[in-house]
Amino acid sequence: MSMQIETTTANSFPRAAKATKAGRKTYVYLFLGWVMLIAIGVAAAMLYTEHLRQQIATDIAQQTQQQLQVVQEDYQKQVTDLKDNVSTEMKALQTKVDSLNELLSFTKDSANSKTDNSNQLYTQLADVKKKLDELQKNLDVLK
């Protein structure tokens, strides 16, 4: 009797071996499926990160362009204002130079040998002329 039991037991083992092979294939397929899901997730994350990076770079470029435009407009306004101010000052200085020239001519004509006021007027005229030249240089630099 015991022999019959062993034969029956021996017959049931091949079935278990087949079930183990089928279970291993299932585990291999599940493992490969998980690996593929993880790979797809990593690839999707990388693509989305690249998309966000490009979008942020575009946004920053637009903001920078807008800020540069504002700075350029402000710079142009300041240059225009400075040019107007220098032009106005040059006109005022030219008026002063002309009046000093007239005064110098008058003083030179009326001066006698005892008074030497013409030296003071020439000094003042030279100072005004230096300032006028300096303003002219500044205006040329601005242009």
Side-chain angles (χ1 to χ4, degrees):
M1 280 206 220
S2 79
M3 190 114 169
Q4 217 176 4
I5 294 175
E6 288 179 20
T7 314
T8 310
T9 311
N11 286 340
S12 66
F13 281 134
R15 228 187 222 198
K18 286 181 183 178
T20 305
K21 273 188 176 180
R24 283 186 185 168
K25 281 187 178 181
T26 304
Y27 287 126
V28 168
Y29 288 136
L30 285 175
F31 178 73
L32 289 176
W34 277 107
V35 168
M36 286 180 56
L37 283 175
I38 290 171
I40 290 171
V42 168
M46 289 174 60
L47 288 174
Y48 184 68
T49 303
E50 181 65 22
H51 170 72
L52 285 179
R53 187 191 64 78
Q54 288 177 353
Q55 188 176 9
I56 289 171
T58 304
D59 290 345
I60 288 174
Q62 288 176 350
Q63 290 174 0
T64 304
Q65 185 65 29
Q66 289 172 351
Q67 289 174 351
L68 282 175
Q69 187 175 4
V70 168
V71 167
Q72 185 177 11
E73 289 171 359
D74 186 45
Y75 175 75
Q76 289 295 334
K77 183 178 179 281
Q78 287 178 357
V79 167
T80 304
D81 290 346
L82 188 59
K83 196 186 283 187
D84 291 343
N85 288 341
V86 168
S87 176
T88 304
E89 288 179 11
M90 283 184 54
K91 287 179 184 176
L93 274 175
Q94 186 64 42
T95 305
K96 287 181 182 179
V97 168
D98 290 342
S99 63
L100 277 176
N101 277 336
E102 289 175 9
L103 183 60
L104 184 61
S105 297
F106 174 74
T107 304
K108 194 175 188 183
D109 291 341
S110 7
N112 58 23
S113 61
K114 294 182 181 177
T115 60
D116 194 16
N117 290 336
S118 62
N119 275 346
Q120 293 175 354
L121 289 175
Y122 279 121
T123 305
Q124 290 176 356
L125 183 60
D127 290 340
V128 170
K129 189 70 172 173
K130 285 180 187 177
K131 288 182 181 180
L132 184 61
D133 289 340
E134 185 179 314
L135 283 172
Q136 183 66 37
K137 287 178 185 177
N138 288 341
L139 183 61
D140 290 342
V141 167
L142 286 175
K143 287 182 182 177

